[in-house]
Amino acid sequence: MASTRRLAAIFAADVAGYSRLMGADEEGTHERLQAHRRELIDPKISQHKGRIVKNTGDGLLAEFASVVDAVRCAAELQRVMIDREAGMPEDHRIRFRIGINLGDVIVEDSDIFGDGVNVAARLEALAEPGRGCQSSCCPLPISAMIRSSNILRTA
Amino acid sequence: MASTRRLAAIFAADVAGYSRLMGADEEGTHERLQAHRRELIDPKISQHKGRIVKNTGDGLLAEFASVVDAVRCAAELQRVMIDREAGMPEDHRIRFRIGINLGDVIVEDSDIFGDGVNVAARLEALAEPGRGCQSSCCPLPISAMIRSSNILRTA
C-alpha cells in the first residue's frame, strides 16, 4: 500500500480530568465542551489555517502547514478559555492541554499517522492544564509569544 | 443544546505498545495495521452489526446494539489476530486490547459521548494485549464464549 507523506505541525488537544468532570456532571460538561468547540476552538483553528483531522471525545487532532500558526492558535485558545471558564468553580473548569510537534506524517485519505502524531499526543499528556507543550523541533522565533501566553517549551 | 441518548454496547480497541512498534518500524507497522483493519476488523464489526464511530490512529471506537454481538465480535477478532501475526517476531506483533461496556450514551450527529464511553476506554487500557476486558454490567450468558476466547470479565 502506497503512503503519501508530508511535513505538518501536529496539534493535539484534550480536556484535563475529563473523566472526572463527566462523572461529576455528564451532560453539563458535555454541553459546555461542545459550546467551546463550536464557538471558540473550531473557528480559531480555521482562522489559523489549521485542519481538524479528527475529534477524540474530549479533544481533537489537527494539523497546520505552519508551526507558528499552530502555536499562535494554541496561545489564543488558552487565553480565551481562561475568560470563558472564569465563572465556574475551580474544580469544575474545563481546561485544555495542548501538544504541538513538527513531524513528517503518513497521510491516508484525510487521516494522519506516524511517530510525529504519537509524539504530539505525548506532549499533550505532559502539558499542564490550561497550557501547552511543544517539541524542541519547533522554530525558536516564537518563544516570546510562547512566554507571553503560557505555552511551554520542552526538550 | 438538546441531546439524544441511547443504550449501546461500547467497544474500544487499540494496539498494545503502538508507539514502541511505530518507533521501531513506522511504515511497516502502519501498513500491517491498516491491512488488519481493512481485511479483518472493519468487516468483522459490520458482520456483527456494529458501527465504527471513529478511528483513533491505533484503534477505534464502535457501538453495537447488542452486548452479545460486541463480545462475540471481540472474541472472533482476537482469535483471528493470533493467526495473522503468528509469523512476526514476538516483540513486533500487533496485538489489540479491547474494552466493552454497556452505557447510556449521549448521541450527537454520528458521534457518541459520556461516562459509558470513558469507561469502555478505561477497560480497554486494563485489558491484556490480545485479550479483552468487559464491564460487569454486560449480561452473564456469554461467559462460556468469553472463557473459550480469552475475553476477560472484570468487576
Side-chain angles (χ1 to χ4, degrees), chain A residues 11-49:
Chain A
F11 176 110
D14 79 349
V15 174
Y18 178 66
S19 291
R20 181 183 57 77
L21 292 168
M22 288 291 274
D25 176 12
E26 190 186 51
E27 293 199 344
T29 302
H30 173 69
E31 287 175 18
R32 228 158 73 245
L33 174 57
Q34 293 307 98
H36 293 317
R37 288 291 307 266
R38 198 171 52 243
E39 296 162 12
L40 169 66
I41 296 165
D42 296 22
K44 191 65 86 182
I45 289 171
S46 287
Q47 179 193 328
H48 288 283
K49 301 187 283 295

Side-chain angles (χ1 to χ4, degrees), chain B residues 97-139:
Chain B
R97 297 179 301 187
I98 298 174
I100 295 172
N101 185 38
L102 177 57
D104 193 80
V105 298
I106 300 170
V107 184
E108 272 176 33
D109 300 326
S110 61
D111 210 347
I112 60 174
F113 302 89
D115 249 6
V117 180
N118 301 344
V119 170
R122 295 199 161 202
L123 289 171
E124 173 215 275
L126 289 172
E128 285 180 49
R131 297 166 78 100
C133 191
Q134 58 172 146
S135 63
S136 57
C137 56
C138 297

Side-chain angles (χ1 to χ4, degrees), chain A residues 11 48-50 64-74 142 145:
Chain A
F11 176 110
H48 288 283
K49 301 187 283 295
F64 292 75
S66 149
V67 177
V68 175
D69 283 341
V71 175
R72 192 170 283 149
C73 179
I142 51 177
M145 185 185 62

Side-chain angles (χ1 to χ4, degrees), chain B residues 9 11 44-45 47-49 64 66-80 98 100 134 141-142 145-146 148-149 151:
Chain B
F11 176 111
K44 191 64 87 181
I45 289 172
Q47 180 194 326
H48 287 283
K49 302 185 281 299
F64 291 75
S66 149
V67 176
V68 175
D69 283 342
V71 175
R72 193 170 282 148
C73 180
E76 291 181 17
L77 286 182
Q78 298 293 39
R79 271 193 223 116
V80 178
I98 298 174
I100 295 172
Q134 58 172 146
I142 50 177
M145 185 185 61
I146 292 164
S148 72
S149 58
I151 302 294

Side-chain angles (χ1 to χ4, degrees), chain B residues 4-19:
Chain B
T4 310
R5 305 202 67 133
R6 70 164 168 258
L7 279 170
I10 306 143
F11 176 111
D14 80 348
V15 174
Y18 178 66
S19 291

Side-chain angles (χ1 to χ4, degrees), chain A residues 1 3 5 18-19 22-23 26-27 30-31 34 38 54-57 106 108 113-115 118 122, chain B residues 1 3 5 18-19 22-23 26-27 30-31 34 38 54-57 106 108 113-115 118 122:
Chain A
M1 186 171 56
S3 300
R5 305 201 66 133
Y18 178 66
S19 291
M22 288 291 274
E26 190 186 51
E27 293 199 344
H30 173 69
E31 287 175 18
Q34 293 307 98
R38 198 171 52 243
K54 66 181 71 174
N55 299 313
T56 56
I106 300 170
E108 272 177 33
F113 301 90
D115 249 5
N118 301 343
R122 293 198 165 204
Chain B
M1 185 171 56
S3 300
R5 305 202 67 133
Y18 178 66
S19 291
M22 287 292 274
E26 189 186 53
E27 293 199 344
H30 173 69
E31 287 174 18
Q34 294 306 100
R38 199 171 51 242
K54 66 181 69 174
N55 299 313
T56 56
I106 300 170
E108 272 176 33
F113 302 89
D115 249 6
N118 301 344
R122 295 199 161 202

